[in-house]
């Protein structure tokens, strides 16, 4: 058995759970009285959501419903990146929301600096859109996980492949 332990820091949105949250939100929109006769919808197109509604107020209500359903299903709303609300066809408004998948360069630098400043005996290595953390002590690795959970990072981080 190797003396080094490691884990990966990733940031991914579970697309199946997101689909389920969208379906639940659409069901609620269809049954709610304040949305009767409304042209509100949520669609998933590749890696972005397109939310459409009659006006900005209803669009915000649709987003609130979607956020509630996502939170219930364990999907963090930190990984959503909102564009501006824009006018759409037949006097409706639309907002595109893209999903952040993976740890981008800017955030991986922040994470590396946080880990380095903690003075724990671990090494970090950026591997594409994830970061591998290795160290001799599993306690140090768990201390890194605890440190990153408390840190103010604008991504929902998952810690996988603890070996």
């Amino acid at each position: 058995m190797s003396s080094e332990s490691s884990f990966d820091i990733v940031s991914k949105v579970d697309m199946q759970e997101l689909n389920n949250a969208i379906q639940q939100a659409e069901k609620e929109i269809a049954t709610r009285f304040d949305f009767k006769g409304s042209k509100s919808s949520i669609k998933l197109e590749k890696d972005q959501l397109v939310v459409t509604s009659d006006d900005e107020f209803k669009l915000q209500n649709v987003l609130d419903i979607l956020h509630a359903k996502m939170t219930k299903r364990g999907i963090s709303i930190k990984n959503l990146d909102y564009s501006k609300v824009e006018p759409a066809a037949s006097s409706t408004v639309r907002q595109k929301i893209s999903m952040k998948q993976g740890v981008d360069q800017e955030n991986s630098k922040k994470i590396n600096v946080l880990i380095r400043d903690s003075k724990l005996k671990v090494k970090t290595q950026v591997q594409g859109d994830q970061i591998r953390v290795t160290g001799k002590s599993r306690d140090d690795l768990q201390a890194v996980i605890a440190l990153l959970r408390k840190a103010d990072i604008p991504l929902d981080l998952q810690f996988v492949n603890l070996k």
Side-chain angles (χ1 to χ4, degrees):
M1 192 168 146
S2 75
S3 62
E4 293 262 312
S5 296
S6 69
F7 71 90
D8 295 330
I9 302 170
V10 296
S11 178
K12 297 214 180 315
V13 175
D14 185 347
M15 296 309 271
Q16 184 60 50
E17 286 297 325
L18 181 64
N19 262 333
N20 293 341
I22 291 169
Q23 287 175 351
Q24 286 182 336
E26 289 212 309
K27 273 185 189 172
E28 183 172 329
I29 290 167
T31 59
R32 275 185 43 171
F33 179 75
D34 54 338
F35 285 104
K36 200 168 205 95
S38 162
K39 297 176 187 134
S40 300
S41 69
I42 306 168
K43 289 189 178 56
L44 183 61
E45 295 174 356
K46 291 183 185 161
D47 60 344
Q48 73 178 23
L49 289 166
V50 179
V51 181
T52 312
S53 194
D54 298 336
D55 53 49
E56 285 192 43
F57 179 73
K58 280 192 177 166
L59 183 78
Q60 191 56 50
N61 286 342
V62 171
L63 288 175
D64 290 344
I65 293 169
L66 179 64
H67 290 164
K69 299 301 179 188
M70 286 174 67
T71 307
K72 267 189 184 167
R73 295 192 101 23
I75 305 169
S76 175
I77 56 177
K78 278 184 174 180
N79 284 18
L80 300 179
D81 190 25
Y82 301 91
S83 67
K84 286 192 330 196
V85 176
E86 55 192 38
S90 63
S91 70
T92 59
V93 291
R94 165 179 61 215
Q95 186 170 25
K96 292 183 179 176
I97 306 166
S98 53
M99 261 81 60
K100 298 178 198 169
Q101 298 276 25
V103 182
D104 59 330
Q105 263 188 322
E106 182 182 322
N107 285 313
S108 62
K109 284 179 186 173
K110 283 182 191 173
I111 292 169
N112 278 330
V113 167
L114 271 171
I115 293 171
R116 201 175 324 117
D117 291 349
S118 71
K119 303 284 192 248
L120 292 167
K121 293 182 179 172
V122 294
K123 290 182 279 213
T124 59
Q125 180 181 16
V126 177
Q127 299 177 326
D129 62 352
Q130 65 184 26
I131 302 170
R132 169 140 311 153
V133 180
T134 56
K136 291 191 188 302
S137 165
R138 280 187 169 234
D139 291 340
D140 285 348
L141 295 180
Q142 289 179 341
V144 168
I145 292 173
L147 172 81
L148 292 175
R149 285 207 169 121
K150 281 188 244 166
D152 184 33
I153 297 172
L155 286 176
D156 178 42
L157 300 176
Q158 292 97 29
F159 308 99
V160 296
N161 298 334
L162 182 60
K163 297 175 191 160

